[in-house]
Amino acid sequence: MNATKILQQGRQPMIRFLGKRTTPSKIDHTPQVHPASPASSLPDSFASYRQKAQQHGPLNQTSKYSTGHIGSSPGSALGPVEAGQGSFFDRSELPKRFQRLAWSEAEIEAIESGGASLRA
């Protein structure tokens, strides 16, 4: 413990701050539009923002399929679900060169033995 006390006494911070710490006298806290925002003005209220907002679909729930309650209608009522051009839902729908390869007997044996069959 004495060695620790000696080490701490000689410690000097490597960062040196210039001047005294001061807080700016005037800070503007008024809401402002983000510089990268596509809109050049802030919304009037949260309700008007929510009418136009999109998250995983419209937030205002004015879709012809929704009744305002989650799960109130079956998924089949939403219509057919099909992948777009160049999109696939399952790996087996991809072209043959991108599909999963079949396991060989040697690979299955190596996995089941924990790799010990490769060294024997």
Side-chain angles (χ1 to χ4, degrees):
M1 285 221 244
N2 291 335
T4 306
K5 285 182 182 178
I6 293 169
L7 288 175
Q8 288 179 350
Q9 289 174 355
R11 183 184 170 277
Q12 296 250 339
M14 295 182 72
I15 298 174
R16 297 190 186 266
F17 296 98
L18 300 175
K20 215 172 126 178
R21 292 184 188 175
T22 58
T23 305
S25 58
K26 291 186 179 182
I27 300 175
D28 185 19
H29 289 290
T30 58
Q32 296 176 351
V33 179
H34 191 275
S37 173
S40 59
S41 63
L42 293 171
D44 298 331
S45 67
F46 182 72
S48 66
Y49 160 75
R50 191 170 167 85
Q51 289 297 322
K52 295 181 255 175
Q54 293 274 336
Q55 186 173 3
H56 302 292
L59 294 177
N60 58 8
Q61 299 294 326
T62 58
S63 153
K64 67 178 182 176
Y65 298 116
S66 70
T67 58
H69 302 289
I70 295 175
S72 62
S73 60
S76 59
L78 297 175
V81 177
E82 297 175 5
Q85 180 69 22
S87 298
F88 300 94
F89 286 132
D90 190 19
R91 197 171 190 168
S92 63
E93 297 172 0
L94 292 170
K96 187 72 173 168
R97 63 184 176 154
F98 298 116
Q99 291 183 4
R100 297 183 196 275
L101 298 175
W103 294 88
S104 68
E105 287 298 321
E107 291 171 324
I108 293 171
E109 181 62 32
I111 291 170
E112 288 178 350
S113 69
S117 63
L118 297 175
R119 300 285 181 206

